[in-house]
Each structure stands twice: as C-alpha cells, then as structure tokens.
Amino acid sequence: MEKSSVDYDKVDAFFGTNVSQILFDHLYVVLDSVSYAQLKQNAFFNDMYGSIDKGLPNFEAIDAKTSSCYIRGHSHYIEILGPNNRYQEPIGKSGIGFSLHNKGEHFHLGVQPKLAQNKTPYLSISETIDLPIENTEITWFKAFYSPNISTNLHTWYAFYNPIFLDSLYHVKHHTYSREAFLKKLYKKECLFKDIESISMHCTKADFYRIAQEMRHLGCDLIKNEGKTLTIASGDITIEIRLSETIKNSHITQIQCKLNTIDSSVIQLGNLTITNYGMKSIWDFNTFNKTIF
C-alpha cells in the first residue's frame, strides 16, 4: 500500500487552482439512548456548556421528548441525534457538512462547485433542501456529495441561500454567512465557541473519498504520517486515519474552542467531554467501542 493512498504532489501537478472557497459548517452524530438521555438531563451541559435548541424553524428549548438537539457556536454548530431521531439515522452514524462559495457568484439553483479537476465523480451528486418558513417553502441550500451509498460517515458541501436568512429573521442579507445564521442563537456567556478539529477513523473507501474531496477543493495537506492525513479543511483541520480492520467509519474526537477558561469533565453516558483551559475535547472512543 502507498503511504497515504493519495499522492498529493502528483495530483497537484495536474490540478487547477480556481476552486470554490470551503468553510466548515456543522457535523452530526447519533448517540445511544443512555448517552443521549444523560445529555438532555445534564444541567451543566444544558445551562453552561452551550446554547442548545430543537432546531428550525423556531429554535425552541429542548425537552424530554426532543429527539435531536443543536449546540450553537459563533461560526459552527453540532447536531446531536438520539436513537429515535426523525431522520431514522442509526446509532453511530455521523456526518460532516461544509459550506461553499464561488468568488463573484451569488446563490442560484444552477450553482456548481468549482473543483481543481473537471469530469470527476467527486461532488457529482446534488440535492436542494427546502424548508417551510411561515407557510412558504424556501430553499435553504444546495448540497453536493460523492457517490458512496454504504458509508457510515457522510460528507457534503453546500451553497447556502441568503434569501433563507431574509425569511427566517426578516432582515435583508446580501450574502449568506454562518455567523449570520447563528447570530441570534449563539451565547457568548456559554463555554462553547467553535470547532477547531475533527479526528476520524475510516475504511479504505471513506479514507480515499474524503481525502480526494478535500484535494479537489484545494485544501492543504498539513501532515502525511503513515496511514494518517491531517488536512486544512476551510477553517478547521480534519485528521483522517485509515483502518483496514473496521467495518464502519466514525468520528473519534472533536476539539473545540471555549469562550472562557474551564476545567470541567462532563460525562454523558459513553461520551466524555473534557475541558482544559480554552479547549474542549469530545472523546468518542468509549462510545465507538460500545457501538462498533
């Protein structure tokens, strides 16, 4: 096997540089029943860690019946799904979403990602997401992803519609930004600010797919160490480790930035969140051992 399955130097020699701008938007994970129940019941997590809500369109407070919740930061957010979520996603499933922007181009339904190489299967499938705002269906975003039906770790890349923000907040937006979407939800007095990095263990198919998606979008390779790639993916880094023994790819750790210094350890069933200084580590290792 080659060092990383992706020869970045060779790829760069043939690829162009006029690519879509990429930024990290959010991720989701599906927890087991014990971890999710403890997350909803943990007073410190709900009151102090981050601004938490049920999601669109009204961003209501979570309650005992909530099957999915959202932790809002300044630029990023985390979507936590319970085992009986409305999307019927299985426990252990996860996904990472990025936003795209083409320089000088406003959102429209025919928008396409600009990749470093044309005629590629990567980001070749698209889906337009509409949501009802005050009884009117409004397009929120157009997402692109690569063919991989069997993956347990989705990645998608979306162009967002500023008109959606207009309808949601009744204020005119010339462009869509993550900060504008989160402005009324983010609470600076809470600990959680944003995500810095995501680490994952991947099957060979997912390892190669995600690395190629990043390369096609012009992301920089920071490190190539054996079976692990560290890539600058917009405003975060992702660490992709190839495992030839696992059946399901999964997120192993999320590293976050905090607004203030903290040293708390939050145990939510099989998920451990450890704060130290201005950082917060979400450790999924026990969760993954239990699920997989």
Side-chain angles (χ1 to χ4, degrees):
M1 180 185 150
E2 295 181 3
K3 186 176 182 181
S4 69
S5 297
V6 182
D7 190 333
Y8 271 72
D9 292 334
K10 184 177 180 181
V11 168
D12 285 344
F14 290 94
F15 278 20
T17 57
N18 182 24
V19 297
S20 300
Q21 178 189 21
I22 178 175
L23 292 171
F24 172 69
D25 191 78
H26 74 283
L27 62 85
Y28 79 84
V29 293
V30 186
L31 297 182
D32 61 281
S33 58
V34 172
S35 300
Y36 188 71
Q38 290 191 20
L39 180 150
K40 290 194 296 182
Q41 296 166 5
N42 188 286
F44 181 83
F45 184 80
N46 284 271
D47 297 336
M48 299 297 296
Y49 187 80
S51 174
I52 303 177
D53 60 74
K54 286 185 179 181
L56 289 162
N58 300 316
F59 306 109
E60 298 170 341
I62 66 171
D63 54 41
K65 296 182 179 180
T66 301
S67 64
S68 60
C69 60
Y70 302 80
I71 297 93
R72 311 292 186 177
H74 176 259
S75 302
H76 314 143
Y77 66 94
I78 301 173
E79 180 178 4
I80 305 293
L81 304 178
N84 300 310
N85 60 83
R86 60 181 173 177
Y87 306 108
Q88 299 182 333
E89 292 277 42
I91 297 170
K93 192 79 173 284
S94 57
I96 305 173
F98 297 87
S99 67
L100 297 178
H101 176 73
N102 291 340
K103 185 177 180 180
E105 184 177 10
H106 295 290
F107 179 86
H108 59 96
L109 293 179
V111 68
Q112 296 287 328
K114 293 183 178 181
L115 304 179
Q117 184 184 50
N118 297 320
K119 297 180 180 180
T120 170
Y122 300 103
L123 278 66
S124 60
I125 300 174
S126 66
E127 181 180 13
T128 302
I129 303 299
D130 300 330
L131 287 178
I133 302 294
E134 297 180 350
N135 299 318
T136 301
E137 290 286 332
I138 306 293
T139 297
W140 187 9
F141 59 84
K142 183 177 182 181
F144 292 82
Y145 50 96
S146 306
N148 194 340
I149 296 174
S150 62
T151 184
N152 192 61
L153 204 170
H154 283 288
T155 49
W156 67 95
Y157 308 81
F159 293 92
Y160 284 84
N161 181 15
I163 294 176
F164 182 82
L165 293 180
D166 297 350
S167 301
L168 186 63
Y169 294 131
H170 305 290
V171 176
K172 181 66 177 177
H173 297 80
H174 296 290
T175 60
Y176 188 106
S177 73
R178 303 163 303 163
E179 293 78 11
F181 174 66
L182 294 168
K183 186 175 181 179
K184 291 188 177 182
L185 308 171
Y186 168 59
K187 295 179 181 178
K188 192 174 182 179
E189 61 269 25
C190 290
L191 289 172
F192 178 69
K193 183 177 183 180
D194 274 326
I195 292 176
E196 284 189 332
S197 65
I198 305 168
S199 299
M200 63 196 81
H201 287 180
C202 290
T203 63
K204 187 174 183 179
D206 285 335
F207 177 89
Y208 188 79
R209 170 182 58 83
I210 297 172
Q212 287 285 21
E213 290 171 348
M214 295 290 108
R215 194 64 247 146
H216 278 69
L217 286 165
C219 296
D220 292 330
L221 177 64
I222 300 172
K223 293 181 183 178
N224 183 348
E225 300 175 324
K227 297 182 179 181
T228 303
L229 299 177
T230 303
I231 303 171
S233 303
D235 53 339
I236 69 165
T237 59
I238 62 170
E239 183 183 87
I240 317 171
R241 181 173 178 79
L242 171 64
S243 174
E244 299 184 74
T245 59
I246 61 173
K247 293 182 179 180
N248 294 296
S249 301
H250 50 266
I251 292 172
T252 57
Q253 186 183 95
I254 304 169
Q255 183 165 308
C256 307
K257 293 182 285 188
L258 298 178
N259 283 311
T260 57
I261 294 173
D262 190 75
S263 59
S264 304
V265 177
I266 309 169
Q267 192 66 48
L268 305 173
N270 295 305
L271 168 63
T272 304
I273 301 175
T274 304
N275 301 330
Y276 61 97
M278 301 288 285
K279 295 186 181 295
S280 180
I281 302 296
W282 293 44
D283 186 343
F284 290 93
N285 285 310
T286 300
F287 170 77
N288 291 328
K289 289 177 182 178
T290 303
I291 303 305
F292 303 115

